[in-house]
Amino acid sequence: MKVLLTGGLGYIGSHTAVELIENGFEIDVMDNLYNSSEDVVEKLKQITGKQVKFHKIDLLDMDSMDKMFSEGKYDAVIHFAGLKAVGESTQKPLMYYENNITGTINLLKCMEKYNVNNIIFSSSACVYSDKNVAPFTEDAILNPINPYGRTKYFIEEIIKDYCFANKNFKAVILRYFNPIGAHESGLIGENPNGIPNNLMPYITRVAFGKLKELSVFGNDYDTPDGTGVRDYIHVVDLARGHLAALNKINSFEGYKIYNLGTGHGYSVLDVVNTFNKVCGNKVKYKIVDRRPGDAACVFASPEKALNELGFKTTKELEEMCLSSYNFEKNNK
Ligand code: NAD
Ligand code: UD1
């Protein structure tokens, strides 16, 4: 099976590339390098021993997309490419809608033209309403609260409509919870530009003295220790979820939606304390006000992915912290 990974040099795409190559899939990777670096192509080779074919192409560049598809003969696409910074999306909504939604429509048009009928799409737990009570099942109420989240919601709807119109087309929509961690080689991982918004990249930068201390956003939530609870999933487990989805895509019609999470919630202080335990007390923190828009407690029901895809996570919080630490150490 030959698979195209859009956004395949990014954090989740690169880890998925490794899993696919190691499981015998032929892959091409396309990315516009907006939030990644071409060095990752070499890192993928170092990890897998295989040269990956890379196309530096933007989803919005229809001519280049068409050419890639005309030559690629793909059986499936895993669609990671997109902008993902929540705060930025509130400042630049048009950029987010154009890149994520127009980009996806361009991709679907190419898939239609070249008769590529299988897609796996990177959606997010942020499509769920925070009024749901965890664990979140796939039929929980949807209500994304920022433009980034709405791009994910709208793309889900576009894919569903297209599946309805084209009976040969199949889609797996994966709603990721909170991916953290890095490949055990320490060669690939999450490396956001500027000051990170997300918890783990902030923690690793404090650990290496690039940032002074972590601000814990609120300790007065209705959770066991008062800090926010999330479902952190190791990025290698998450990557394997795509493999499970690809292996099942021929066994159903239309679209399927699955959560990818562990089903366990950890608080901010659980993460900080575990990190300090396995990486040597490096992270100081202070409690500050809540961050606007944050929910108290979000974690997945992983049952549907387990029952239908046979997907089960294997990696614990300790390993997530240690691998994140090792990646930051290698990239100091
Ligand atoms: P990432 O930014 O590391 O990777 C996305 C890649 O897409 C980047 O390499 C970027 O250069 C590329 N890209 C963006 N716009 C493009 C365009 N127009 N044309 C070509 N390439 C383009 O992000 P990630 O963490 O690997 O996330 C992958 C996907 O998963 C995204 O769609 C993201 O919204 C979604 N997601 C991520 C998380 C998370 O916490 N990381 C959670 C839920 C969902
Ligand atoms: C955020 C986004 C979500 C996106 C997800 C993955 C918001 C409101 N939500 O989710 O849409 O899908 O990232 O990219 O931005 N925390 C701190 N201090 C920090 C950073 C975070 O205490 O410096 C806390 C947060 O309050 C939260 C937890 O850590 O309780 C996790 O935060 P984060 O990593 O940003 O993920 P989410 O808020 O779940």
PDB file of all heavy atoms in Angstrom, residues 84 86 124-126 145-146 148 177-179 196-200 202 214-218 221 227-230 232 268 291-295, ligand 2:
ATOM      1  N   LYS A  84      -1.992  24.829  13.751  1.00  0.00           N
ATOM      2  CA  LYS A  84      -2.574  24.248  14.977  1.00  0.00           C
ATOM      3  C   LYS A  84      -2.467  25.103  16.232  1.00  0.00           C
ATOM      4  O   LYS A  84      -2.742  24.611  17.320  1.00  0.00           O
ATOM      5  CB  LYS A  84      -1.923  22.898  15.232  1.00  0.00           C
ATOM      6  CG  LYS A  84      -0.430  22.978  15.503  1.00  0.00           C
ATOM      7  CD  LYS A  84       0.117  21.706  16.137  1.00  0.00           C
ATOM      8  CE  LYS A  84       1.565  21.876  16.506  1.00  0.00           C
ATOM      9  NZ  LYS A  84       2.150  20.729  17.175  1.00  0.00           N
ATOM     10  N   VAL A  86      -3.782  27.468  18.764  1.00  0.00           N
ATOM     11  CA  VAL A  86      -5.110  27.964  19.140  1.00  0.00           C
ATOM     12  C   VAL A  86      -5.128  29.487  19.260  1.00  0.00           C
ATOM     13  O   VAL A  86      -5.997  30.167  18.694  1.00  0.00           O
ATOM     14  CB  VAL A  86      -5.546  27.326  20.478  1.00  0.00           C
ATOM     15  CG1 VAL A  86      -6.818  27.958  20.996  1.00  0.00           C
ATOM     16  CG2 VAL A  86      -5.718  25.827  20.310  1.00  0.00           C
ATOM     17  N   SER A 124      -9.267  16.520  16.355  1.00  0.00           N
ATOM     18  CA  SER A 124      -8.778  16.860  17.696  1.00  0.00           C
ATOM     19  C   SER A 124      -9.903  16.751  18.715  1.00  0.00           C
ATOM     20  O   SER A 124     -11.084  16.971  18.397  1.00  0.00           O
ATOM     21  CB  SER A 124      -8.272  18.305  17.669  1.00  0.00           C
ATOM     22  OG  SER A 124      -8.088  18.787  18.969  1.00  0.00           O
ATOM     23  N   ALA A 125      -9.517  16.480  19.941  1.00  0.00           N
ATOM     24  CA  ALA A 125     -10.484  16.483  21.045  1.00  0.00           C
ATOM     25  C   ALA A 125     -11.103  17.864  21.230  1.00  0.00           C
ATOM     26  O   ALA A 125     -12.135  17.989  21.890  1.00  0.00           O
ATOM     27  CB  ALA A 125      -9.785  16.058  22.326  1.00  0.00           C
ATOM     28  N   CYS A 126     -10.477  18.888  20.629  1.00  0.00           N
ATOM     29  CA  CYS A 126     -11.033  20.234  20.816  1.00  0.00           C
ATOM     30  C   CYS A 126     -12.341  20.425  20.038  1.00  0.00           C
ATOM     31  O   CYS A 126     -12.970  21.468  20.184  1.00  0.00           O
ATOM     32  CB  CYS A 126     -10.017  21.311  20.491  1.00  0.00           C
ATOM     33  SG  CYS A 126      -9.644  21.417  18.760  1.00  0.00           S
ATOM     34  N   ILE A 145     -14.459  25.867  20.508  1.00  0.00           N
ATOM     35  CA  ILE A 145     -14.628  27.246  20.997  1.00  0.00           C
ATOM     36  C   ILE A 145     -13.630  28.224  20.403  1.00  0.00           C
ATOM     37  O   ILE A 145     -13.560  29.365  20.837  1.00  0.00           O
ATOM     38  CB  ILE A 145     -14.569  27.311  22.542  1.00  0.00           C
ATOM     39  CG1 ILE A 145     -13.224  26.760  23.041  1.00  0.00           C
ATOM     40  CG2 ILE A 145     -15.749  26.594  23.165  1.00  0.00           C
ATOM     41  CD1 ILE A 145     -12.950  27.102  24.499  1.00  0.00           C
ATOM     42  N   ASN A 146     -12.836  27.796  19.430  1.00  0.00           N
ATOM     43  CA  ASN A 146     -11.903  28.744  18.788  1.00  0.00           C
ATOM     44  C   ASN A 146     -11.805  28.404  17.301  1.00  0.00           C
ATOM     45  O   ASN A 146     -12.210  27.310  16.884  1.00  0.00           O
ATOM     46  CB  ASN A 146     -10.542  28.702  19.495  1.00  0.00           C
ATOM     47  CG  ASN A 146     -10.018  27.285  19.615  1.00  0.00           C
ATOM     48  OD1 ASN A 146      -9.832  26.594  18.624  1.00  0.00           O
ATOM     49  ND2 ASN A 146      -9.817  26.847  20.852  1.00  0.00           N
ATOM     50  N   TYR A 148      -9.349  27.548  15.376  1.00  0.00           N
ATOM     51  CA  TYR A 148      -8.611  26.306  15.080  1.00  0.00           C
ATOM     52  C   TYR A 148      -9.544  25.093  15.244  1.00  0.00           C
ATOM     53  O   TYR A 148      -9.649  24.245  14.349  1.00  0.00           O
ATOM     54  CB  TYR A 148      -7.406  26.163  16.011  1.00  0.00           C
ATOM     55  CG  TYR A 148      -6.859  24.753  16.054  1.00  0.00           C
ATOM     56  CD1 TYR A 148      -6.210  24.216  14.950  1.00  0.00           C
ATOM     57  CD2 TYR A 148      -7.021  23.939  17.187  1.00  0.00           C
ATOM     58  CE1 TYR A 148      -5.729  22.905  14.969  1.00  0.00           C
ATOM     59  CE2 TYR A 148      -6.549  22.637  17.215  1.00  0.00           C
ATOM     60  CZ  TYR A 148      -5.909  22.125  16.103  1.00  0.00           C
ATOM     61  OH  TYR A 148      -5.449  20.828  16.132  1.00  0.00           O
ATOM     62  N   PHE A 177      -6.217  13.211  21.528  1.00  0.00           N
ATOM     63  CA  PHE A 177      -6.252  13.934  22.799  1.00  0.00           C
ATOM     64  C   PHE A 177      -4.911  14.687  22.938  1.00  0.00           C
ATOM     65  O   PHE A 177      -4.579  15.442  22.042  1.00  0.00           O
ATOM     66  CB  PHE A 177      -6.679  12.991  23.934  1.00  0.00           C
ATOM     67  CG  PHE A 177      -8.197  12.839  23.911  1.00  0.00           C
ATOM     68  CD1 PHE A 177      -8.828  12.196  22.841  1.00  0.00           C
ATOM     69  CD2 PHE A 177      -8.995  13.456  24.849  1.00  0.00           C
ATOM     70  CE1 PHE A 177     -10.223  12.157  22.734  1.00  0.00           C
ATOM     71  CE2 PHE A 177     -10.390  13.412  24.766  1.00  0.00           C
ATOM     72  CZ  PHE A 177     -10.995  12.762  23.700  1.00  0.00           C
ATOM     73  N   ASN A 178      -4.130  14.524  23.972  1.00  0.00           N
ATOM     74  CA  ASN A 178      -2.933  15.389  24.114  1.00  0.00           C
ATOM     75  C   ASN A 178      -1.646  14.614  23.835  1.00  0.00           C
ATOM     76  O   ASN A 178      -1.088  13.990  24.742  1.00  0.00           O
ATOM     77  CB  ASN A 178      -2.889  15.994  25.516  1.00  0.00           C
ATOM     78  CG  ASN A 178      -3.977  17.023  25.728  1.00  0.00           C
ATOM     79  OD1 ASN A 178      -5.156  16.720  25.579  1.00  0.00           O
ATOM     80  ND2 ASN A 178      -3.592  18.232  26.058  1.00  0.00           N
ATOM     81  N   PRO A 179      -1.146  14.662  22.590  1.00  0.00           N
ATOM     82  CA  PRO A 179       0.079  13.936  22.282  1.00  0.00           C
ATOM     83  C   PRO A 179       1.302  14.600  22.909  1.00  0.00           C
ATOM     84  O   PRO A 179       1.469  15.819  22.796  1.00  0.00           O
ATOM     85  CB  PRO A 179       0.174  14.010  20.746  1.00  0.00           C
ATOM     86  CG  PRO A 179      -0.931  14.858  20.282  1.00  0.00           C
ATOM     87  CD  PRO A 179      -1.701  15.376  21.424  1.00  0.00           C
ATOM     88  N   PRO A 196       6.451  28.057  23.923  1.00  0.00           N
ATOM     89  CA  PRO A 196       5.379  27.063  23.721  1.00  0.00           C
ATOM     90  C   PRO A 196       4.102  27.424  24.486  1.00  0.00           C
ATOM     91  O   PRO A 196       4.163  28.009  25.570  1.00  0.00           O
ATOM     92  CB  PRO A 196       5.970  25.778  24.303  1.00  0.00           C
ATOM     93  CG  PRO A 196       7.423  26.030  24.494  1.00  0.00           C
ATOM     94  CD  PRO A 196       7.598  27.494  24.630  1.00  0.00           C
ATOM     95  N   ASN A 197       2.978  27.053  23.901  1.00  0.00           N
ATOM     96  CA  ASN A 197       1.694  27.201  24.592  1.00  0.00           C
ATOM     97  C   ASN A 197       1.329  25.937  25.347  1.00  0.00           C
ATOM     98  O   ASN A 197       0.637  25.980  26.349  1.00  0.00           O
ATOM     99  CB  ASN A 197       0.566  27.465  23.581  1.00  0.00           C
ATOM    100  CG  ASN A 197       0.765  28.784  22.888  1.00  0.00           C
ATOM    101  OD1 ASN A 197       0.926  29.801  23.545  1.00  0.00           O
ATOM    102  ND2 ASN A 197       0.764  28.763  21.563  1.00  0.00           N
ATOM    103  N   ASN A 198       1.786  24.808  24.822  1.00  0.00           N
ATOM    104  CA  ASN A 198       1.362  23.530  25.400  1.00  0.00           C
ATOM    105  C   ASN A 198       2.269  23.139  26.563  1.00  0.00           C
ATOM    106  O   ASN A 198       3.419  23.566  26.658  1.00  0.00           O
ATOM    107  CB  ASN A 198       1.361  22.436  24.329  1.00  0.00           C
ATOM    108  CG  ASN A 198       0.319  22.712  23.251  1.00  0.00           C
ATOM    109  OD1 ASN A 198       0.650  22.907  22.097  1.00  0.00           O
ATOM    110  ND2 ASN A 198      -0.942  22.766  23.633  1.00  0.00           N
ATOM    111  N   LEU A 199       1.714  22.296  27.422  1.00  0.00           N
ATOM    112  CA  LEU A 199       2.370  21.999  28.697  1.00  0.00           C
ATOM    113  C   LEU A 199       3.749  21.344  28.541  1.00  0.00           C
ATOM    114  O   LEU A 199       4.737  21.835  29.101  1.00  0.00           O
ATOM    115  CB  LEU A 199       1.440  21.100  29.532  1.00  0.00           C
ATOM    116  CG  LEU A 199       1.968  20.708  30.905  1.00  0.00           C
ATOM    117  CD1 LEU A 199       2.161  21.937  31.784  1.00  0.00           C
ATOM    118  CD2 LEU A 199       1.003  19.724  31.572  1.00  0.00           C
ATOM    119  N   MET A 200       3.842  20.220  27.811  1.00  0.00           N
ATOM    120  CA  MET A 200       5.108  19.467  27.827  1.00  0.00           C
ATOM    121  C   MET A 200       6.274  20.241  27.210  1.00  0.00           C
ATOM    122  O   MET A 200       7.368  20.278  27.806  1.00  0.00           O
ATOM    123  CB  MET A 200       4.921  18.092  27.178  1.00  0.00           C
ATOM    124  CG  MET A 200       6.150  17.217  27.270  1.00  0.00           C
ATOM    125  SD  MET A 200       6.783  17.014  28.969  1.00  0.00           S
ATOM    126  CE  MET A 200       5.744  15.709  29.566  1.00  0.00           C
ATOM    127  N   TYR A 202       6.712  23.310  27.205  1.00  0.00           N
ATOM    128  CA  TYR A 202       7.067  24.356  28.182  1.00  0.00           C
ATOM    129  C   TYR A 202       7.920  23.737  29.304  1.00  0.00           C
ATOM    130  O   TYR A 202       8.962  24.271  29.693  1.00  0.00           O
ATOM    131  CB  TYR A 202       5.798  25.011  28.758  1.00  0.00           C
ATOM    132  CG  TYR A 202       6.059  26.412  29.264  1.00  0.00           C
ATOM    133  CD1 TYR A 202       5.635  27.523  28.538  1.00  0.00           C
ATOM    134  CD2 TYR A 202       6.767  26.634  30.447  1.00  0.00           C
ATOM    135  CE1 TYR A 202       5.897  28.813  28.981  1.00  0.00           C
ATOM    136  CE2 TYR A 202       7.041  27.918  30.895  1.00  0.00           C
ATOM    137  CZ  TYR A 202       6.597  29.002  30.157  1.00  0.00           C
ATOM    138  OH  TYR A 202       6.870  30.279  30.592  1.00  0.00           O
ATOM    139  N   LEU A 214       7.594  27.178  35.197  1.00  0.00           N
ATOM    140  CA  LEU A 214       6.294  26.882  34.601  1.00  0.00           C
ATOM    141  C   LEU A 214       5.207  27.642  35.362  1.00  0.00           C
ATOM    142  O   LEU A 214       5.232  27.689  36.599  1.00  0.00           O
ATOM    143  CB  LEU A 214       6.018  25.372  34.710  1.00  0.00           C
ATOM    144  CG  LEU A 214       4.626  24.920  34.280  1.00  0.00           C
ATOM    145  CD1 LEU A 214       4.473  24.970  32.761  1.00  0.00           C
ATOM    146  CD2 LEU A 214       4.346  23.500  34.787  1.00  0.00           C
ATOM    147  N   SER A 215       4.269  28.235  34.628  1.00  0.00           N
ATOM    148  CA  SER A 215       3.063  28.768  35.264  1.00  0.00           C
ATOM    149  C   SER A 215       1.980  27.699  35.173  1.00  0.00           C
ATOM    150  O   SER A 215       1.637  27.268  34.070  1.00  0.00           O
ATOM    151  CB  SER A 215       2.579  30.024  34.529  1.00  0.00           C
ATOM    152  OG  SER A 215       3.515  31.049  34.665  1.00  0.00           O
ATOM    153  N   VAL A 216       1.493  27.264  36.301  1.00  0.00           N
ATOM    154  CA  VAL A 216       0.395  26.294  36.316  1.00  0.00           C
ATOM    155  C   VAL A 216      -0.902  27.102  36.313  1.00  0.00           C
ATOM    156  O   VAL A 216      -1.152  27.899  37.232  1.00  0.00           O
ATOM    157  CB  VAL A 216       0.481  25.374  37.556  1.00  0.00           C
ATOM    158  CG1 VAL A 216      -0.757  24.486  37.654  1.00  0.00           C
ATOM    159  CG2 VAL A 216       1.752  24.540  37.502  1.00  0.00           C
ATOM    160  N   PHE A 217      -1.702  26.877  35.252  1.00  0.00           N
ATOM    161  CA  PHE A 217      -2.885  27.726  35.055  1.00  0.00           C
ATOM    162  C   PHE A 217      -4.063  27.275  35.920  1.00  0.00           C
ATOM    163  O   PHE A 217      -4.945  26.565  35.459  1.00  0.00           O
ATOM    164  CB  PHE A 217      -3.289  27.707  33.580  1.00  0.00           C
ATOM    165  CG  PHE A 217      -2.250  28.263  32.638  1.00  0.00           C
ATOM    166  CD1 PHE A 217      -2.033  27.671  31.392  1.00  0.00           C
ATOM    167  CD2 PHE A 217      -1.501  29.382  32.969  1.00  0.00           C
ATOM    168  CE1 PHE A 217      -1.086  28.182  30.515  1.00  0.00           C
ATOM    169  CE2 PHE A 217      -0.546  29.900  32.094  1.00  0.00           C
ATOM    170  CZ  PHE A 217      -0.344  29.300  30.873  1.00  0.00           C
ATOM    171  N   GLY A 218      -4.051  27.692  37.171  1.00  0.00           N
ATOM    172  CA  GLY A 218      -5.195  27.462  38.065  1.00  0.00           C
ATOM    173  C   GLY A 218      -5.044  26.200  38.892  1.00  0.00           C
ATOM    174  O   GLY A 218      -4.647  25.153  38.389  1.00  0.00           O
ATOM    175  N   TYR A 221      -9.677  24.138  40.118  1.00  0.00           N
ATOM    176  CA  TYR A 221     -10.656  23.363  39.339  1.00  0.00           C
ATOM    177  C   TYR A 221     -11.223  22.246  40.214  1.00  0.00           C
ATOM    178  O   TYR A 221     -10.607  21.834  41.202  1.00  0.00           O
ATOM    179  CB  TYR A 221      -9.995  22.732  38.105  1.00  0.00           C
ATOM    180  CG  TYR A 221      -9.689  23.720  37.006  1.00  0.00           C
ATOM    181  CD1 TYR A 221      -8.382  24.153  36.779  1.00  0.00           C
ATOM    182  CD2 TYR A 221     -10.695  24.198  36.178  1.00  0.00           C
ATOM    183  CE1 TYR A 221      -8.095  25.051  35.761  1.00  0.00           C
ATOM    184  CE2 TYR A 221     -10.412  25.101  35.159  1.00  0.00           C
ATOM    185  CZ  TYR A 221      -9.113  25.524  34.958  1.00  0.00           C
ATOM    186  OH  TYR A 221      -8.834  26.405  33.949  1.00  0.00           O
ATOM    187  N   THR A 227      -5.747  21.149  39.724  1.00  0.00           N
ATOM    188  CA  THR A 227      -5.196  21.579  38.426  1.00  0.00           C
ATOM    189  C   THR A 227      -5.867  20.801  37.294  1.00  0.00           C
ATOM    190  O   THR A 227      -6.466  19.745  37.521  1.00  0.00           O
ATOM    191  CB  THR A 227      -3.645  21.412  38.383  1.00  0.00           C
ATOM    192  OG1 THR A 227      -3.299  20.025  38.453  1.00  0.00           O
ATOM    193  CG2 THR A 227      -2.990  22.164  39.534  1.00  0.00           C
ATOM    194  N   GLY A 228      -5.753  21.323  36.083  1.00  0.00           N
ATOM    195  CA  GLY A 228      -6.476  20.776  34.931  1.00  0.00           C
ATOM    196  C   GLY A 228      -6.049  19.343  34.613  1.00  0.00           C
ATOM    197  O   GLY A 228      -4.880  18.991  34.743  1.00  0.00           O
ATOM    198  N   VAL A 229      -7.018  18.536  34.206  1.00  0.00           N
ATOM    199  CA  VAL A 229      -6.756  17.123  33.898  1.00  0.00           C
ATOM    200  C   VAL A 229      -6.904  16.889  32.392  1.00  0.00           C
ATOM    201  O   VAL A 229      -7.874  17.338  31.780  1.00  0.00           O
ATOM    202  CB  VAL A 229      -7.725  16.218  34.698  1.00  0.00           C
ATOM    203  CG1 VAL A 229      -7.715  14.791  34.162  1.00  0.00           C
ATOM    204  CG2 VAL A 229      -7.364  16.242  36.177  1.00  0.00           C
ATOM    205  N   ARG A 230      -5.911  16.191  31.807  1.00  0.00           N
ATOM    206  CA  ARG A 230      -5.928  15.884  30.374  1.00  0.00           C
ATOM    207  C   ARG A 230      -5.506  14.438  30.138  1.00  0.00           C
ATOM    208  O   ARG A 230      -4.877  13.814  30.985  1.00  0.00           O
ATOM    209  CB  ARG A 230      -4.939  16.799  29.611  1.00  0.00           C
ATOM    210  CG  ARG A 230      -5.288  18.272  29.628  1.00  0.00           C
ATOM    211  CD  ARG A 230      -6.521  18.586  28.803  1.00  0.00           C
ATOM    212  NE  ARG A 230      -6.797  20.012  28.783  1.00  0.00           N
ATOM    213  CZ  ARG A 230      -7.485  20.668  29.718  1.00  0.00           C
ATOM    214  NH1 ARG A 230      -7.965  20.023  30.765  1.00  0.00           N
ATOM    215  NH2 ARG A 230      -7.707  21.961  29.591  1.00  0.00           N
ATOM    216  N   TYR A 232      -2.994  12.542  28.271  1.00  0.00           N
ATOM    217  CA  TYR A 232      -1.724  12.611  27.533  1.00  0.00           C
ATOM    218  C   TYR A 232      -1.429  11.258  26.914  1.00  0.00           C
ATOM    219  O   TYR A 232      -1.454  10.235  27.599  1.00  0.00           O
ATOM    220  CB  TYR A 232      -0.595  13.037  28.489  1.00  0.00           C
ATOM    221  CG  TYR A 232      -0.845  14.417  29.049  1.00  0.00           C
ATOM    222  CD1 TYR A 232      -1.449  14.592  30.304  1.00  0.00           C
ATOM    223  CD2 TYR A 232      -0.546  15.550  28.308  1.00  0.00           C
ATOM    224  CE1 TYR A 232      -1.724  15.856  30.800  1.00  0.00           C
ATOM    225  CE2 TYR A 232      -0.821  16.826  28.801  1.00  0.00           C
ATOM    226  CZ  TYR A 232      -1.411  16.965  30.041  1.00  0.00           C
ATOM    227  OH  TYR A 232      -1.695  18.221  30.524  1.00  0.00           O
ATOM    228  N   VAL A 268      -2.064  18.607  35.790  1.00  0.00           N
ATOM    229  CA  VAL A 268      -0.818  19.326  35.492  1.00  0.00           C
ATOM    230  C   VAL A 268       0.250  18.950  36.522  1.00  0.00           C
ATOM    231  O   VAL A 268       1.406  18.677  36.168  1.00  0.00           O
ATOM    232  CB  VAL A 268      -1.055  20.856  35.489  1.00  0.00           C
ATOM    233  CG1 VAL A 268       0.249  21.599  35.236  1.00  0.00           C
ATOM    234  CG2 VAL A 268      -2.105  21.247  34.458  1.00  0.00           C
ATOM    235  N   ARG A 291      -6.189  29.747  32.633  1.00  0.00           N
ATOM    236  CA  ARG A 291      -6.089  30.249  31.261  1.00  0.00           C
ATOM    237  C   ARG A 291      -7.495  30.279  30.670  1.00  0.00           C
ATOM    238  O   ARG A 291      -8.206  29.258  30.729  1.00  0.00           O
ATOM    239  CB  ARG A 291      -5.193  29.306  30.450  1.00  0.00           C
ATOM    240  CG  ARG A 291      -5.001  29.707  29.006  1.00  0.00           C
ATOM    241  CD  ARG A 291      -3.932  28.867  28.309  1.00  0.00           C
ATOM    242  NE  ARG A 291      -4.306  27.458  28.165  1.00  0.00           N
ATOM    243  CZ  ARG A 291      -3.546  26.530  27.581  1.00  0.00           C
ATOM    244  NH1 ARG A 291      -2.355  26.859  27.109  1.00  0.00           N
ATOM    245  NH2 ARG A 291      -3.955  25.284  27.495  1.00  0.00           N
ATOM    246  N   PRO A 292      -7.906  31.424  30.084  1.00  0.00           N
ATOM    247  CA  PRO A 292      -9.266  31.474  29.535  1.00  0.00           C
ATOM    248  C   PRO A 292      -9.478  30.360  28.505  1.00  0.00           C
ATOM    249  O   PRO A 292      -8.592  30.072  27.710  1.00  0.00           O
ATOM    250  CB  PRO A 292      -9.330  32.848  28.847  1.00  0.00           C
ATOM    251  CG  PRO A 292      -8.227  33.641  29.443  1.00  0.00           C
ATOM    252  CD  PRO A 292      -7.164  32.669  29.881  1.00  0.00           C
ATOM    253  N   GLY A 293     -10.640  29.739  28.540  1.00  0.00           N
ATOM    254  CA  GLY A 293     -10.968  28.711  27.545  1.00  0.00           C
ATOM    255  C   GLY A 293     -10.587  27.300  27.963  1.00  0.00           C
ATOM    256  O   GLY A 293     -10.927  26.343  27.270  1.00  0.00           O
ATOM    257  N   ASP A 294      -9.864  27.149  29.084  1.00  0.00           N
ATOM    258  CA  ASP A 294      -9.458  25.802  29.504  1.00  0.00           C
ATOM    259  C   ASP A 294     -10.590  25.077  30.225  1.00  0.00           C
ATOM    260  O   ASP A 294     -11.265  25.654  31.085  1.00  0.00           O
ATOM    261  CB  ASP A 294      -8.259  25.885  30.467  1.00  0.00           C
ATOM    262  CG  ASP A 294      -6.941  25.914  29.739  1.00  0.00           C
ATOM    263  OD1 ASP A 294      -6.936  25.761  28.507  1.00  0.00           O
ATOM    264  OD2 ASP A 294      -5.903  26.080  30.414  1.00  0.00           O
ATOM    265  N   ALA A 295     -10.738  23.805  29.906  1.00  0.00           N
ATOM    266  CA  ALA A 295     -11.699  22.959  30.622  1.00  0.00           C
ATOM    267  C   ALA A 295     -11.001  22.341  31.835  1.00  0.00           C
ATOM    268  O   ALA A 295      -9.767  22.242  31.873  1.00  0.00           O
ATOM    269  CB  ALA A 295     -12.192  21.865  29.691  1.00  0.00           C
TER     270      ALA A 295
HETATM  271  C1  UD1 B   2      -4.603  22.845  23.870  1.00  0.00           C
HETATM  272  C2  UD1 B   2      -5.645  23.547  23.044  1.00  0.00           C
HETATM  273  C3  UD1 B   2      -6.384  22.498  22.216  1.00  0.00           C
HETATM  274  C4  UD1 B   2      -5.392  21.700  21.360  1.00  0.00           C
HETATM  275  C5  UD1 B   2      -4.350  21.078  22.281  1.00  0.00           C
HETATM  276  C6  UD1 B   2      -3.284  20.332  21.534  1.00  0.00           C
HETATM  277  C7  UD1 B   2      -6.332  25.525  24.314  1.00  0.00           C
HETATM  278  C8  UD1 B   2      -7.430  26.163  25.103  1.00  0.00           C
HETATM  279  N1  UD1 B   2      -6.570  24.268  23.916  1.00  0.00           N
HETATM  280  O1  UD1 B   2      -5.258  21.908  24.685  1.00  0.00           O
HETATM  281  O2  UD1 B   2      -7.317  23.131  21.369  1.00  0.00           O
HETATM  282  O3  UD1 B   2      -6.058  20.668  20.651  1.00  0.00           O
HETATM  283  O4  UD1 B   2      -3.713  22.131  23.039  1.00  0.00           O
HETATM  284  O5  UD1 B   2      -2.532  21.214  20.743  1.00  0.00           O
HETATM  285  O6  UD1 B   2      -5.312  26.142  24.032  1.00  0.00           O
HETATM  286  N2  UD1 B   2      -0.969  24.272  31.255  1.00  0.00           N
HETATM  287  C9  UD1 B   2      -0.360  24.951  32.286  1.00  0.00           C
HETATM  288  N3  UD1 B   2       0.714  25.748  31.981  1.00  0.00           N
HETATM  289  C10 UD1 B   2       1.193  25.896  30.712  1.00  0.00           C
HETATM  290  C11 UD1 B   2       0.562  25.186  29.664  1.00  0.00           C
HETATM  291  C12 UD1 B   2      -0.531  24.400  29.965  1.00  0.00           C
HETATM  292  O7  UD1 B   2      -0.755  24.847  33.432  1.00  0.00           O
HETATM  293  O8  UD1 B   2       2.159  26.649  30.504  1.00  0.00           O
HETATM  294  C13 UD1 B   2      -2.110  23.388  31.570  1.00  0.00           C
HETATM  295  C14 UD1 B   2      -3.408  23.764  30.880  1.00  0.00           C
HETATM  296  O9  UD1 B   2      -4.135  24.665  31.661  1.00  0.00           O
HETATM  297  C15 UD1 B   2      -4.078  22.386  30.742  1.00  0.00           C
HETATM  298  C16 UD1 B   2      -2.910  21.420  30.586  1.00  0.00           C
HETATM  299  O10 UD1 B   2      -1.772  22.103  31.089  1.00  0.00           O
HETATM  300  O11 UD1 B   2      -4.764  22.061  31.919  1.00  0.00           O
HETATM  301  C17 UD1 B   2      -2.650  21.037  29.132  1.00  0.00           C
HETATM  302  O12 UD1 B   2      -2.515  22.208  28.349  1.00  0.00           O
HETATM  303  P1  UD1 B   2      -2.105  22.180  26.794  1.00  0.00           P
HETATM  304  O13 UD1 B   2      -0.873  21.355  26.634  1.00  0.00           O
HETATM  305  O14 UD1 B   2      -2.068  23.582  26.313  1.00  0.00           O
HETATM  306  O15 UD1 B   2      -3.285  21.363  26.111  1.00  0.00           O
HETATM  307  P2  UD1 B   2      -4.880  21.626  26.143  1.00  0.00           P
HETATM  308  O16 UD1 B   2      -5.214  22.809  26.951  1.00  0.00           O
HETATM  309  O17 UD1 B   2      -5.534  20.352  26.511  1.00  0.00           O
END
